[in-house]
Amino acid sequence: MNPAIIICISLFACIFGIFFLFFQTRNKERLALIEHDKDASIFKFRKDRSSPVWAVILLNLSLVLMGVGFGFLIGNLLETYTILSGDLAYVGSLFFTPGAFLLLGFYLTRKMKL
């Protein structure tokens, strides 16, 4: 078989599996709440959330992109001014800085009130 076909089929199978497990788990949780006569209001969209979802996504996406750019800058500086090889400097900084910026985004999201 063509490797491209195998990759496409496995990609769609993974996406289907993720959605199937998500909806199956959500359905089981809701059925368990109904069985025990609990309030299912936690599943409804509330307007009184501390921040809208789009603002959190936009904040984290912008911080990740800034982290990647900063990682390239740090990698270039490490390659130029230290004895580290270019591969190690770039890979290390490109994994570290977006993670650090996402951690910053987590703390900023907790403080955000819109």
Side-chain angles (χ1 to χ4, degrees):
M1 263 186 135
N2 191 359
I5 294 173
I6 294 172
I7 291 172
C8 289
I9 290 172
S10 61
L11 177 71
F12 287 121
C14 287
I15 292 171
F16 173 77
I18 289 170
F19 278 107
F20 179 76
L21 285 175
F22 173 73
F23 287 118
Q24 183 182 20
T25 305
R26 186 175 74 167
N27 188 27
K28 286 181 181 178
E29 287 175 349
R30 291 180 180 189
L31 285 175
L33 282 174
I34 291 171
E35 284 179 3
H36 296 291
D37 292 330
K38 300 289 182 182
D39 186 23
S41 64
I42 61 170
F43 296 115
K44 293 182 182 173
F45 181 74
R46 295 176 295 166
K47 292 281 187 178
D48 62 342
R49 286 188 176 180
S50 61
S51 59
V53 175
W54 63 268
V56 173
I57 291 172
L58 189 64
L59 174 70
N60 285 328
L61 181 64
S62 64
L63 285 172
V64 165
L65 292 176
M66 287 188 334
V68 169
F70 194 66
F72 275 118
L73 176 69
I74 296 296
N76 190 10
L77 291 175
L78 286 174
E79 181 185 17
T80 305
Y81 296 113
T82 63
I83 59 172
L84 292 175
S85 66
D87 295 338
L88 178 65
Y90 280 110
V91 170
S93 63
L94 282 177
F95 276 115
F96 177 73
T97 53
F101 274 69
L102 273 178
L103 187 63
L104 173 70
F106 172 73
Y107 288 116
L108 289 176
T109 303
R110 285 194 339 184
K111 292 182 179 181
M112 188 171 26
K113 300 283 185 199
L114 294 177

